[in-house]
Amino acid sequence: MSRFVQPVPPPVDPYAGDGLLRSWLERHLGPGGHAAAKGRLADLAADVTGPLRAAHADAEAHPPTLVRYDPWGARIDRIDTSAGWQAQRAAAARHAVVALPYLPDARGTWGAAARVVQHALLHLYGPESATFSCPVAMADGAAALLSMPDVDATVRDTWLPRLISTDPATAITSGQWMTESQGGSDLGRSSTLGRPAADGSWRLTGEKWFCSAADAAMAVALARPEGAGRGSRVLAPFLVPRYAVDSPLADGAAPGAPAPGVTVHRLKDKLGTRALPTAEIGLRDAYALPLGDPAVPGLVRAMTLVVVTRVHNAAAAAGGMRRGLAYARAYAEARHVAGGPLVSSPLHRATLGTLAVDAAGAFALAGHAFALLGRVEVGADPEAAAELRIVAPLAKLATGRLAVSSASEYVESFGGAGYVEDTGVPRLLRDAQVLPIWEGTTNVLALDVLRALTREDAGTPLLSRLTAAVDLARPLSPVLADTLATAAAQLAETIAAVTVEPGAPAVLAGARGLALRLAYALTTALLVEHAAWGDEQAELAARLWARRWLRHEEIAEDAHHHLDLLC
Protein backbone atom coordinates (compact mmCIF):
# COMPACT_ATOMS: atom_id res chain seq x y z
CA MET A 1 0.00 0.00 0.00
CA SER A 2 1.51 3.31 -1.05
CA ARG A 3 1.93 6.11 1.48
CA PHE A 4 -0.61 8.93 1.10
CA VAL A 5 0.81 12.40 0.62
CA GLN A 6 -1.60 15.30 0.79
CA PRO A 7 -1.29 17.54 -2.28
CA VAL A 8 -1.19 21.23 -1.45
CA PRO A 9 -1.77 23.35 -4.55
CA PRO A 10 -0.53 26.92 -4.64
CA PRO A 11 -3.15 29.64 -4.24
CA VAL A 12 -4.46 31.61 -7.17
CA ASP A 13 -2.46 34.42 -8.74
CA PRO A 14 -2.61 37.22 -6.14
CA TYR A 15 -3.43 39.88 -8.72
CA ALA A 16 -5.48 38.12 -11.38
CA GLY A 17 -7.35 36.08 -8.76
CA ASP A 18 -8.29 38.99 -6.48
CA GLY A 19 -11.48 40.52 -7.83
CA LEU A 20 -11.82 43.07 -5.04
CA LEU A 21 -8.29 44.39 -5.60
CA ARG A 22 -8.85 44.76 -9.33
CA SER A 23 -12.23 46.47 -9.01
CA TRP A 24 -10.82 48.79 -6.33
CA LEU A 25 -8.10 49.86 -8.75
CA GLU A 26 -10.61 50.28 -11.56
CA ARG A 27 -12.67 52.61 -9.40
CA HIS A 28 -9.85 54.68 -7.91
CA LEU A 29 -7.62 54.87 -10.99
CA GLY A 30 -10.20 54.77 -13.75
CA PRO A 31 -9.91 52.29 -16.61
CA GLY A 32 -6.94 54.11 -18.13
CA GLY A 33 -5.10 54.42 -14.85
CA HIS A 34 -5.69 50.76 -14.02
CA ALA A 35 -4.49 49.75 -17.46
CA ALA A 36 -1.31 51.74 -16.88
CA ALA A 37 -0.70 49.81 -13.64
CA LYS A 38 -1.55 46.31 -14.88
CA GLY A 39 1.86 45.45 -16.27
CA ARG A 40 3.63 46.51 -13.09
CA LEU A 41 1.20 44.56 -10.89
CA ALA A 42 1.27 41.44 -13.08
CA ASP A 43 5.07 41.44 -13.07
CA LEU A 44 5.16 41.63 -9.27
CA ALA A 45 2.52 38.89 -8.95
CA ALA A 46 4.63 36.63 -11.16
CA ASP A 47 7.66 37.31 -8.98
CA VAL A 48 5.66 36.66 -5.82
CA THR A 49 4.41 33.28 -6.99
CA GLY A 50 7.85 32.24 -8.21
CA PRO A 51 11.27 33.45 -7.03
CA LEU A 52 10.02 35.56 -4.14
CA ARG A 53 8.12 32.65 -2.63
CA ALA A 54 11.38 30.69 -2.65
CA ALA A 55 13.29 33.70 -1.28
CA HIS A 56 10.70 34.04 1.46
CA ALA A 57 11.25 30.40 2.49
CA ASP A 58 15.02 30.83 2.45
CA ALA A 59 14.92 33.97 4.60
CA GLU A 60 12.65 32.24 7.11
CA ALA A 61 14.91 29.20 7.24
CA HIS A 62 18.09 31.27 7.69
CA PRO A 63 17.40 34.11 10.15
CA PRO A 64 19.93 36.92 10.61
CA THR A 65 22.99 36.50 12.78
CA LEU A 66 25.16 39.06 14.57
CA VAL A 67 28.93 38.82 14.17
CA ARG A 68 30.40 41.01 16.88
CA TYR A 69 34.14 40.61 16.21
CA ASP A 70 36.40 39.93 13.28
CA PRO A 71 39.04 37.14 13.51
CA TRP A 72 41.53 39.57 15.07
CA GLY A 73 39.25 40.86 17.77
CA ALA A 74 38.08 44.14 16.21
CA ARG A 75 34.48 44.99 16.98
CA ILE A 76 32.55 44.91 13.71
CA ASP A 77 28.87 44.35 14.68
CA ARG A 78 28.07 42.88 11.29
CA ILE A 79 24.57 41.53 10.71
CA ASP A 80 24.58 38.68 8.22
CA THR A 81 21.34 37.99 6.36
CA SER A 82 20.37 35.24 3.96
CA ALA A 83 20.33 35.19 0.18
CA GLY A 84 16.54 35.14 0.40
CA TRP A 85 16.51 38.36 2.42
CA GLN A 86 18.79 40.01 -0.12
CA ALA A 87 16.50 38.83 -2.93
CA GLN A 88 13.57 40.47 -1.16
CA ARG A 89 15.58 43.67 -0.82
CA ALA A 90 16.37 43.69 -4.55
CA ALA A 91 12.77 42.96 -5.51
CA ALA A 92 11.39 45.77 -3.36
CA ALA A 93 13.65 48.21 -5.20
CA ARG A 94 13.09 46.74 -8.64
CA HIS A 95 9.30 46.83 -8.30
CA ALA A 96 9.37 50.36 -6.79
CA VAL A 97 7.45 49.24 -3.73
CA VAL A 98 8.86 52.21 -1.78
CA ALA A 99 9.69 54.52 -4.64
CA LEU A 100 6.48 54.59 -6.66
CA PRO A 101 4.62 57.50 -4.98
CA TYR A 102 7.76 59.66 -5.17
CA LEU A 103 8.56 59.06 -8.84
CA PRO A 104 7.66 61.95 -11.16
CA ASP A 105 6.42 59.55 -13.84
CA ALA A 106 4.08 57.83 -11.38
CA ARG A 107 2.71 61.12 -10.10
CA GLY A 108 2.29 62.28 -13.68
CA THR A 109 0.31 59.14 -14.51
CA TRP A 110 -1.78 58.69 -11.38
CA GLY A 111 -1.42 61.92 -9.39
CA ALA A 112 -2.49 61.47 -5.79
CA ALA A 113 -3.63 57.93 -6.66
CA ALA A 114 0.00 56.82 -6.98
CA ARG A 115 -0.44 55.84 -3.32
CA VAL A 116 -3.37 53.62 -4.38
CA VAL A 117 -1.07 51.80 -6.80
CA GLN A 118 1.56 51.50 -4.10
CA HIS A 119 -1.00 49.94 -1.78
CA ALA A 120 -1.75 47.36 -4.48
CA LEU A 121 1.97 46.59 -4.77
CA LEU A 122 2.21 46.13 -1.00
CA HIS A 123 -0.90 43.94 -1.03
CA LEU A 124 0.87 41.61 -3.44
CA TYR A 125 4.41 41.88 -2.09
CA GLY A 126 4.03 41.92 1.69
CA PRO A 127 2.67 38.45 2.50
CA GLU A 128 5.50 36.69 0.63
CA SER A 129 8.29 39.09 1.65
CA ALA A 130 9.54 37.36 4.83
CA THR A 131 8.46 40.66 6.49
CA PHE A 132 10.81 42.74 4.36
CA SER A 133 7.64 44.82 4.21
CA CYS A 134 8.82 46.24 7.57
CA PRO A 135 11.99 47.94 6.23
CA VAL A 136 9.92 48.95 3.20
CA ALA A 137 7.49 50.75 5.53
CA MET A 138 10.26 52.49 7.44
CA ALA A 139 12.07 53.49 4.24
CA ASP A 140 8.83 55.03 2.98
CA GLY A 141 8.31 56.85 6.27
CA ALA A 142 11.88 58.16 6.19
CA ALA A 143 11.40 59.29 2.59
CA ALA A 144 8.24 61.16 3.55
CA LEU A 145 10.08 62.84 6.41
CA LEU A 146 13.04 63.78 4.21
CA SER A 147 10.61 65.25 1.67
CA MET A 148 9.39 67.86 4.14
CA PRO A 149 10.38 71.43 3.22
CA ASP A 150 12.09 72.20 6.55
CA VAL A 151 14.67 69.42 6.08
CA ASP A 152 18.07 70.70 4.97
CA ALA A 153 18.33 70.39 1.19
CA THR A 154 21.81 68.85 1.34
CA VAL A 155 20.62 66.11 3.67
CA ARG A 156 17.57 65.49 1.48
CA ASP A 157 19.56 65.38 -1.75
CA THR A 158 22.09 62.97 -0.26
CA TRP A 159 19.70 60.43 1.25
CA LEU A 160 16.28 60.65 -0.40
CA PRO A 161 17.44 59.45 -3.86
CA ARG A 162 18.91 56.35 -2.23
CA LEU A 163 15.70 55.55 -0.35
CA ILE A 164 13.57 55.81 -3.49
CA SER A 165 16.01 54.26 -5.94
CA THR A 166 14.68 51.45 -8.12
CA ASP A 167 18.18 50.12 -8.74
CA PRO A 168 18.95 47.29 -6.29
CA ALA A 169 22.63 48.23 -6.42
CA THR A 170 22.00 51.68 -4.92
CA ALA A 171 18.66 51.43 -3.10
CA ILE A 172 18.72 51.48 0.70
CA THR A 173 16.17 51.07 3.46
CA SER A 174 15.82 52.77 6.83
CA GLY A 175 15.52 51.63 10.40
CA GLN A 176 13.55 53.36 13.11
CA TRP A 177 15.20 53.92 16.51
CA MET A 178 12.61 55.44 18.79
CA THR A 179 11.73 53.27 21.77
CA GLU A 180 13.89 52.90 24.84
CA SER A 181 13.69 50.26 27.55
CA GLN A 182 12.49 52.61 30.28
CA GLY A 183 9.84 54.24 28.12
CA GLY A 184 8.59 52.07 25.29
CA SER A 185 5.58 53.88 23.85
CA ASP A 186 5.98 56.55 26.56
CA LEU A 187 8.30 58.72 24.49
CA GLY A 188 8.34 61.39 27.20
CA ARG A 189 10.78 59.18 29.12
CA SER A 190 13.29 59.05 26.25
CA SER A 191 16.78 59.78 27.50
CA THR A 192 18.82 59.72 24.30
CA LEU A 193 20.60 63.08 24.23
CA GLY A 194 21.61 65.06 21.16
CA ARG A 195 24.24 67.75 21.21
CA PRO A 196 25.29 69.96 18.30
CA ALA A 197 28.72 69.83 16.70
CA ALA A 198 30.56 72.74 15.14
CA ASP A 199 29.94 71.55 11.56
CA GLY A 200 26.12 71.51 11.86
CA SER A 201 25.90 67.78 12.52
CA TRP A 202 24.93 66.35 15.92
CA ARG A 203 26.14 63.63 18.27
CA LEU A 204 23.64 61.24 19.86
CA THR A 205 24.16 59.27 23.06
CA GLY A 206 21.64 56.82 24.46
CA GLU A 207 20.21 53.32 24.32
CA LYS A 208 17.58 52.21 21.83
CA TRP A 209 15.61 49.14 22.81
CA PHE A 210 13.72 47.95 19.72
CA CYS A 211 15.40 48.75 16.42
CA SER A 212 13.89 46.93 13.47
CA ALA A 213 15.75 46.62 10.16
CA ALA A 214 18.99 46.95 12.09
CA ASP A 215 20.92 46.14 8.91
CA ALA A 216 19.52 49.18 7.06
CA ALA A 217 21.95 51.81 5.83
CA MET A 218 20.36 54.54 7.94
CA ALA A 219 17.89 55.04 10.73
CA VAL A 220 15.62 57.78 11.96
CA ALA A 221 16.24 58.21 15.68
CA LEU A 222 14.46 60.36 18.24
CA ALA A 223 16.65 62.31 20.65
CA ARG A 224 16.25 65.09 23.17
CA PRO A 225 18.26 68.11 22.02
CA GLU A 226 20.61 69.37 24.69
CA GLY A 227 18.79 71.90 26.87
CA ALA A 228 15.37 71.16 25.36
CA GLY A 229 13.69 70.16 28.61
CA ARG A 230 11.38 67.32 29.50
CA GLY A 231 8.39 65.74 27.79
CA SER A 232 7.89 64.18 24.38
CA ARG A 233 7.03 67.18 22.19
CA VAL A 234 10.57 68.55 22.28
CA LEU A 235 12.08 65.33 20.92
CA ALA A 236 13.57 65.74 17.47
CA PRO A 237 14.16 63.27 14.62
CA PHE A 238 17.71 62.68 13.43
CA LEU A 239 19.18 60.67 10.59
CA VAL A 240 21.88 58.28 11.80
CA PRO A 241 24.13 56.54 9.24
CA ARG A 242 24.48 52.88 10.16
CA TYR A 243 27.77 52.25 8.34
CA ALA A 244 31.15 53.93 8.40
CA VAL A 245 31.09 54.71 4.68
CA ASP A 246 28.43 57.35 5.37
CA SER A 247 29.98 58.82 8.50
CA PRO A 248 32.70 61.49 8.28
CA LEU A 249 33.92 60.29 11.69
CA ALA A 250 35.07 56.98 10.23
CA ASP A 251 38.04 58.01 8.14
CA GLY A 252 39.79 54.95 6.71
CA ALA A 253 37.26 52.40 8.00
CA ALA A 254 36.78 49.19 6.06
CA PRO A 255 33.73 48.82 3.78
CA GLY A 256 30.76 47.53 5.73
CA ALA A 257 32.20 48.63 9.08
CA PRO A 258 29.72 50.13 11.54
CA ALA A 259 29.63 53.88 11.96
CA PRO A 260 31.63 55.03 15.01
CA GLY A 261 29.51 55.27 18.11
CA VAL A 262 26.91 52.73 16.95
CA THR A 263 26.99 49.41 18.83
CA VAL A 264 24.66 46.46 18.22
CA HIS A 265 24.24 44.82 21.64
CA ARG A 266 22.18 41.87 20.47
CA LEU A 267 19.53 40.72 18.03
CA LYS A 268 16.05 40.15 19.44
CA ASP A 269 14.81 36.55 19.67
CA LYS A 270 11.20 37.21 18.65
CA LEU A 271 7.97 35.27 18.45
CA GLY A 272 7.68 36.06 14.74
CA THR A 273 9.20 38.22 11.98
CA ARG A 274 12.26 36.02 12.44
CA ALA A 275 13.88 36.93 9.12
CA LEU A 276 13.85 40.61 10.11
CA PRO A 277 16.93 41.75 12.05
CA THR A 278 15.73 43.61 15.12
CA ALA A 279 18.32 44.79 17.62
CA GLU A 280 19.16 46.65 20.77
CA ILE A 281 21.51 49.45 19.77
CA GLY A 282 23.72 51.73 21.82
CA LEU A 283 24.76 55.21 20.71
CA ARG A 284 27.88 56.92 22.04
CA ASP A 285 28.49 60.26 20.36
CA ALA A 286 27.12 58.79 17.13
CA TYR A 287 27.15 61.08 14.11
CA ALA A 288 23.65 62.31 13.22
CA LEU A 289 21.98 64.82 10.95
CA PRO A 290 18.90 66.78 12.10
CA LEU A 291 15.72 66.35 10.09
CA GLY A 292 14.34 69.83 10.56
CA ASP A 293 15.33 72.43 13.13
CA PRO A 294 16.07 70.68 16.47
CA ALA A 295 15.30 73.93 18.29
CA VAL A 296 11.67 73.54 17.21
CA PRO A 297 9.76 70.76 19.01
CA GLY A 298 10.05 67.89 16.59
CA LEU A 299 7.65 65.15 17.61
CA VAL A 300 5.09 66.56 15.17
CA ARG A 301 7.66 66.22 12.37
CA ALA A 302 8.37 62.62 13.40
CA MET A 303 4.65 61.86 13.15
CA THR A 304 5.00 62.24 9.36
CA LEU A 305 6.99 59.02 9.46
CA VAL A 306 4.64 57.36 11.95
CA VAL A 307 1.52 58.00 9.85
CA VAL A 308 3.18 56.33 6.87
CA THR A 309 4.32 53.31 8.84
CA ARG A 310 0.89 52.92 10.45
CA VAL A 311 -0.86 52.72 7.10
CA HIS A 312 1.81 50.27 5.93
CA ASN A 313 1.01 48.19 8.99
CA ALA A 314 -2.64 48.14 7.91
CA ALA A 315 -1.62 47.09 4.40
CA ALA A 316 0.49 44.27 5.82
CA ALA A 317 -2.44 43.08 7.93
CA ALA A 318 -4.93 43.17 5.06
CA GLY A 319 -2.50 41.60 2.59
CA GLY A 320 -1.64 38.81 5.00
CA MET A 321 -5.32 38.12 5.62
CA ARG A 322 -6.05 37.87 1.91
CA ARG A 323 -3.08 35.57 1.23
CA GLY A 324 -3.88 33.38 4.23
CA LEU A 325 -7.42 33.05 2.91
CA ALA A 326 -6.09 32.08 -0.52
CA TYR A 327 -3.89 29.36 1.01
CA ALA A 328 -6.74 28.05 3.17
CA ARG A 329 -9.13 27.98 0.19
CA ALA A 330 -6.60 26.16 -2.00
CA TYR A 331 -6.02 23.56 0.72
CA ALA A 332 -9.77 23.09 1.25
CA GLU A 333 -10.21 22.37 -2.44
CA ALA A 334 -7.54 19.64 -2.35
CA ARG A 335 -8.28 18.07 1.03
CA HIS A 336 -10.94 15.35 1.12
CA VAL A 337 -12.96 14.59 4.24
CA ALA A 338 -16.18 12.59 4.76
CA GLY A 339 -16.22 11.51 1.14
CA GLY A 340 -15.80 14.88 -0.52
CA PRO A 341 -13.60 17.96 -0.78
CA LEU A 342 -13.35 20.01 2.40
CA VAL A 343 -14.50 23.07 0.50
CA SER A 344 -17.92 21.45 0.01
CA SER A 345 -18.52 21.21 3.77
CA PRO A 346 -21.15 23.82 4.73
CA LEU A 347 -19.43 24.44 8.06
CA HIS A 348 -16.00 24.96 6.52
CA ARG A 349 -17.46 27.11 3.76
CA ALA A 350 -19.09 29.27 6.41
CA THR A 351 -15.75 29.63 8.20
CA LEU A 352 -13.92 30.61 5.02
CA GLY A 353 -16.71 32.96 3.98
CA THR A 354 -16.63 34.76 7.33
CA LEU A 355 -12.86 35.13 7.01
CA ALA A 356 -13.37 36.54 3.51
CA VAL A 357 -15.74 39.21 4.87
CA ASP A 358 -13.09 40.26 7.40
CA ALA A 359 -10.40 40.30 4.70
CA ALA A 360 -12.56 42.49 2.45
CA GLY A 361 -13.16 44.95 5.28
CA ALA A 362 -9.47 45.12 6.18
CA PHE A 363 -8.55 45.72 2.55
CA ALA A 364 -11.02 48.59 2.20
CA LEU A 365 -9.82 50.21 5.41
CA ALA A 366 -6.13 50.00 4.47
CA GLY A 367 -6.84 51.08 0.90
CA HIS A 368 -8.75 54.13 2.07
CA ALA A 369 -5.87 55.18 4.30
CA PHE A 370 -3.47 55.07 1.35
CA ALA A 371 -5.88 57.04 -0.84
CA LEU A 372 -6.10 59.76 1.81
CA LEU A 373 -2.31 59.83 2.22
CA GLY A 374 -1.89 60.41 -1.50
CA ARG A 375 -4.37 63.28 -1.46
CA VAL A 376 -2.49 64.90 1.42
CA GLU A 377 0.92 64.56 -0.22
CA VAL A 378 0.04 65.54 -3.78
CA GLY A 379 -2.88 67.91 -3.41
CA ALA A 380 -2.32 69.20 0.13
CA ASP A 381 -6.00 68.38 0.61
CA PRO A 382 -7.05 69.73 4.03
CA GLU A 383 -10.16 67.53 4.19
CA ALA A 384 -8.08 64.43 3.50
CA ALA A 385 -5.53 65.52 6.12
CA ALA A 386 -8.25 65.94 8.74
CA GLU A 387 -9.69 62.52 7.98
CA LEU A 388 -6.30 60.81 7.78
CA ARG A 389 -5.53 62.05 11.29
CA ILE A 390 -8.08 59.58 12.65
CA VAL A 391 -8.15 56.99 9.86
CA ALA A 392 -4.44 56.11 10.21
CA PRO A 393 -4.70 54.93 13.84
CA LEU A 394 -8.14 53.38 13.25
CA ALA A 395 -6.94 51.40 10.23
CA LYS A 396 -3.86 50.22 12.04
CA LEU A 397 -5.57 49.10 15.25
CA ALA A 398 -8.58 47.41 13.63
CA THR A 399 -6.70 45.53 10.90
CA GLY A 400 -4.00 44.42 13.34
CA ARG A 401 -6.54 42.73 15.58
CA LEU A 402 -8.40 41.21 12.63
CA ALA A 403 -5.14 39.84 11.23
CA VAL A 404 -4.35 37.95 14.43
CA SER A 405 -7.81 36.39 14.78
CA SER A 406 -7.86 35.48 11.09
CA ALA A 407 -4.37 33.98 11.20
CA SER A 408 -5.42 31.76 14.08
CA GLU A 409 -8.31 30.48 11.97
CA TYR A 410 -6.04 29.89 8.97
CA VAL A 411 -3.68 27.78 11.09
CA GLU A 412 -6.63 25.81 12.42
CA SER A 413 -8.02 25.27 8.92
CA PHE A 414 -4.97 23.13 8.07
CA GLY A 415 -5.46 20.87 11.08
CA GLY A 416 -2.25 19.31 12.39
CA ALA A 417 -0.29 20.48 9.35
CA GLY A 418 -0.99 24.04 10.41
CA TYR A 419 0.96 23.41 13.61
CA VAL A 420 4.07 22.08 11.88
CA GLU A 421 6.78 24.65 11.21
CA ASP A 422 8.09 23.31 7.92
CA THR A 423 4.70 23.72 6.23
CA GLY A 424 5.14 27.46 6.69
CA VAL A 425 1.61 27.83 8.04
CA PRO A 426 2.50 28.66 11.68
CA ARG A 427 4.37 31.70 10.41
CA LEU A 428 1.02 33.26 9.47
CA LEU A 429 0.11 33.48 13.15
CA ARG A 430 3.58 34.29 14.48
CA ASP A 431 4.03 37.16 12.06
CA ALA A 432 0.50 38.48 12.47
CA GLN A 433 0.99 39.00 16.20
CA VAL A 434 3.43 41.86 15.62
CA LEU A 435 0.78 43.88 13.80
CA PRO A 436 -1.20 45.02 16.88
CA ILE A 437 2.09 45.84 18.64
CA TRP A 438 4.39 47.71 16.25
CA GLU A 439 3.69 51.46 15.94
CA GLY A 440 1.42 51.41 18.97
CA THR A 441 -0.65 48.75 20.69
CA THR A 442 -4.43 48.79 20.44
CA ASN A 443 -4.69 50.74 23.69
CA VAL A 444 -2.03 53.28 22.71
CA LEU A 445 -3.76 53.89 19.39
CA ALA A 446 -7.19 54.06 21.01
CA LEU A 447 -5.96 56.90 23.22
CA ASP A 448 -4.53 58.59 20.13
CA VAL A 449 -7.96 58.31 18.50
CA LEU A 450 -9.47 59.87 21.62
CA ARG A 451 -7.03 62.78 21.39
CA ALA A 452 -7.90 63.26 17.73
CA LEU A 453 -11.59 63.38 18.57
CA THR A 454 -11.36 65.72 21.54
CA ARG A 455 -8.52 68.03 20.52
CA GLU A 456 -8.71 68.15 16.73
CA ASP A 457 -12.39 67.57 15.87
CA ALA A 458 -11.40 64.50 13.84
CA GLY A 459 -14.84 63.02 14.31
CA THR A 460 -16.43 65.54 11.95
CA PRO A 461 -15.02 64.19 8.65
CA LEU A 462 -15.58 60.63 9.80
CA LEU A 463 -19.23 61.20 10.70
CA SER A 464 -19.73 63.03 7.42
CA ARG A 465 -18.50 59.97 5.52
CA LEU A 466 -20.84 57.72 7.50
CA THR A 467 -23.82 59.99 6.80
CA ALA A 468 -23.07 60.09 3.08
CA ALA A 469 -22.74 56.30 3.00
CA VAL A 470 -26.20 55.90 4.52
CA ASP A 471 -27.70 57.54 1.43
CA LEU A 472 -25.57 55.35 -0.85
CA ALA A 473 -26.66 52.23 1.02
CA ARG A 474 -30.39 52.92 0.79
CA PRO A 475 -30.84 51.68 -2.83
CA LEU A 476 -28.65 48.64 -2.08
CA SER A 477 -30.32 47.51 1.13
CA PRO A 478 -32.65 49.47 3.43
CA VAL A 479 -31.58 47.23 6.32
CA LEU A 480 -27.91 48.02 5.67
CA ALA A 481 -28.71 51.75 5.46
CA ASP A 482 -30.64 51.66 8.72
CA THR A 483 -27.86 49.74 10.45
CA LEU A 484 -25.27 52.27 9.37
CA ALA A 485 -27.52 55.21 10.25
CA THR A 486 -28.05 53.82 13.74
CA ALA A 487 -24.32 53.28 14.23
CA ALA A 488 -23.54 56.81 13.01
CA ALA A 489 -26.09 58.35 15.38
CA GLN A 490 -24.79 56.39 18.35
CA LEU A 491 -21.19 57.32 17.53
CA ALA A 492 -22.09 60.99 17.16
CA GLU A 493 -23.72 60.90 20.58
CA THR A 494 -20.72 59.16 22.13
CA ILE A 495 -18.22 61.57 20.56
CA ALA A 496 -20.20 64.54 21.84
CA ALA A 497 -20.18 63.04 25.32
CA VAL A 498 -16.46 62.28 25.46
CA THR A 499 -15.51 65.78 24.36
CA VAL A 500 -17.18 67.19 27.48
CA GLU A 501 -14.81 65.43 29.88
CA PRO A 502 -12.10 63.68 27.83
CA GLY A 503 -9.95 62.81 30.83
CA ALA A 504 -12.69 61.09 32.82
CA PRO A 505 -11.85 57.52 33.87
CA ALA A 506 -14.96 56.17 32.15
CA VAL A 507 -13.98 57.86 28.88
CA LEU A 508 -10.41 56.60 29.03
CA ALA A 509 -11.51 53.08 29.97
CA GLY A 510 -13.88 53.01 27.01
CA ALA A 511 -11.41 54.34 24.44
CA ARG A 512 -10.65 50.94 22.93
CA GLY A 513 -14.31 50.08 22.48
CA LEU A 514 -15.03 53.46 20.93
CA ALA A 515 -12.10 53.20 18.51
CA LEU A 516 -13.17 49.75 17.34
CA ARG A 517 -16.78 50.88 16.87
CA LEU A 518 -15.55 53.82 14.79
CA ALA A 519 -13.34 51.53 12.69
CA TYR A 520 -16.13 49.02 12.09
CA ALA A 521 -18.61 51.73 11.08
CA LEU A 522 -16.07 53.38 8.80
CA THR A 523 -15.31 50.05 7.14
CA THR A 524 -19.01 49.53 6.50
CA ALA A 525 -19.17 52.94 4.84
CA LEU A 526 -16.13 52.20 2.67
CA LEU A 527 -17.57 48.89 1.49
CA VAL A 528 -20.87 50.65 0.76
CA GLU A 529 -19.06 53.29 -1.31
CA HIS A 530 -17.41 50.57 -3.38
CA ALA A 531 -20.66 48.66 -3.70
CA ALA A 532 -22.49 51.80 -4.89
CA TRP A 533 -19.83 52.16 -7.59
CA GLY A 534 -20.95 48.76 -8.86
CA ASP A 535 -18.99 45.99 -7.14
CA GLU A 536 -21.18 43.00 -6.26
CA GLN A 537 -18.60 41.44 -3.95
CA ALA A 538 -18.32 44.69 -1.97
CA GLU A 539 -22.13 44.88 -1.66
CA LEU A 540 -22.29 41.39 -0.17
CA ALA A 541 -19.29 42.08 2.06
CA ALA A 542 -20.86 45.34 3.27
CA ARG A 543 -24.11 43.63 4.25
CA LEU A 544 -22.35 40.79 6.04
CA TRP A 545 -19.74 43.05 7.65
CA ALA A 546 -22.48 45.31 9.06
CA ARG A 547 -24.35 42.31 10.43
CA ARG A 548 -21.18 40.82 11.93
CA TRP A 549 -19.53 43.90 13.40
CA LEU A 550 -22.31 46.49 13.86
CA ARG A 551 -25.26 44.26 14.74
CA HIS A 552 -23.22 41.34 16.16
CA GLU A 553 -25.24 38.73 14.29
CA GLU A 554 -24.20 35.31 13.07
CA ILE A 555 -23.46 35.36 9.32
CA ALA A 556 -22.48 31.70 8.85
CA GLU A 557 -25.38 30.70 6.62
CA ASP A 558 -24.92 33.54 4.15
CA ALA A 559 -21.13 33.18 4.27
CA HIS A 560 -21.53 29.50 3.37
CA HIS A 561 -23.90 30.15 0.46
CA HIS A 562 -21.87 33.03 -1.00
CA LEU A 563 -18.28 31.81 -0.46
CA ASP A 564 -17.45 31.79 -4.17
CA LEU A 565 -18.46 35.44 -4.56
CA LEU A 566 -16.66 36.50 -1.38
CA CYS A 567 -13.35 34.93 -2.44
Side-chain angles (χ1 to χ4, degrees), residues 257-521:
V262 178
T263 301
V264 181
H265 296 311
R266 63 170 177 166
L267 294 182
K268 298 284 193 181
D269 185 8
K270 297 166 292 179
L271 168 67
T273 65
R274 293 177 177 174
L276 171 68
T278 304
E280 294 170 26
I281 289 178
L283 304 173
R284 297 291 180 273
D285 286 331
Y287 176 82
L289 298 167
L291 296 174
D293 184 355
V296 177
L299 191 61
V300 171
R301 290 197 301 281
M303 286 303 295
T304 298
L305 182 155
V306 172
V307 167
V308 172
T309 51
R310 282 179 176 175
V311 301
H312 271 262
N313 197 96
M321 291 168 68
R322 184 65 182 88
R323 196 68 51 85
L325 177 64
Y327 274 103
R329 175 72 189 262
Y331 179 73
E333 290 174 343
R335 179 67 175 168
H336 276 66
V337 297
L342 180 58
V343 76
S344 68
S345 160
L347 179 57
H348 199 65
R349 289 178 66 83
T351 302
L352 293 178
T354 302
L355 289 166
V357 170
D358 287 354
F363 173 81
L365 196 50
H368 180 56
F370 272 86
L372 290 174
L373 179 61
R375 287 167 54 193
V376 171
E377 291 176 332
V378 173
D381 185 334
E383 292 182 3
E387 190 175 356
L388 183 62
R389 171 64 185 92
I390 194 167
V391 167
L394 286 178
K396 193 275 184 190
L397 72 86
T399 59
R401 293 183 62 79
L402 285 169
V404 174
S405 60
S406 295
S408 181
E409 290 281 6
Y410 296 142
V411 170
E412 187 176 344
S413 73
F414 284 84
Y419 203 65
V420 177
E421 282 288 352
D422 56 7
T423 65
V425 178
R427 176 195 57 78
L428 297 175
L429 182 56
R430 288 192 284 102
D431 287 354
Q433 188 59 64
V434 77
L435 296 167
I437 295 172
W438 186 58
E439 289 298 12
T441 63
T442 305
N443 284 357
V444 168
L445 289 165
L447 293 174
D448 188 39
V449 168
L450 194 60
R451 284 191 294 272
L453 292 172
T454 57
R455 298 179 186 177
E456 302 172 50
D457 193 29
T460 297
L462 197 62
L463 292 172
S464 295
R465 184 171 294 277
L466 299 184
T467 302
V470 171
D471 293 334
L472 293 174
R474 192 73 61 190
L476 303 174
S477 165
V479 174
L480 173 59
D482 289 344
T483 299
L484 187 54
T486 299
Q490 292 173 343
L491 287 168
E493 183 179 346
T494 303
I495 291 170
V498 302
T499 56
V500 174
E501 197 175 358
V507 171
L508 297 174
R512 175 193 282 231
L514 174 57
L516 289 170
R517 287 166 56 205
L518 286 166
Y520 298 153

Side-chain angles (χ1 to χ4, degrees), residues 64-81 177 206-208 211 213-217 241-244 253-267 277-284 286:
T65 57
L66 173 61
V67 180
R68 290 190 174 88
Y69 299 96
D70 74 5
W72 302 100
R75 186 75 184 250
I76 56 173
D77 284 356
R78 186 182 74 235
I79 297 175
D80 289 339
T81 55
W177 302 350
E207 296 290 328
K208 295 298 183 179
C211 305
D215 61 332
R242 171 72 175 81
Y243 298 108
V262 178
T263 301
V264 181
H265 296 311
R266 63 170 177 166
L267 294 182
T278 304
E280 294 170 26
I281 289 178
L283 304 173
R284 297 291 180 273

Side-chain angles (χ1 to χ4, degrees), residues 151-249:
V151 171
D152 181 84
T154 302
V155 176
R156 180 188 306 114
D157 294 344
T158 300
W159 290 92
L160 181 58
R162 298 169 67 184
L163 285 168
I164 62 174
S165 172
T166 57
D167 179 359
T170 58
I172 64 169
T173 55
S174 177
Q176 192 169 305
W177 302 350
M178 295 193 180
T179 60
E180 300 175 12
S181 57
Q182 73 278 11
S185 61
D186 183 4
L187 296 177
R189 300 181 67 189
S190 297
S191 60
T192 297
L193 184 66
R195 59 180 181 83
D199 63 356
S201 66
W202 284 61
R203 304 292 179 267
L204 305 189
T205 297
E207 296 290 328
K208 295 298 183 179
W209 175 246
F210 216 89
C211 305
S212 288
D215 61 332
M218 58 163 279
V220 175
L222 281 181
R224 191 177 306 281
E226 193 173 51
R230 305 180 65 178
S232 61
R233 293 183 180 276
V234 298
L235 298 176
F238 292 86
L239 188 157
V240 182
R242 171 72 175 81
Y243 298 108
V245 67
D246 292 312
S247 172
L249 305 183

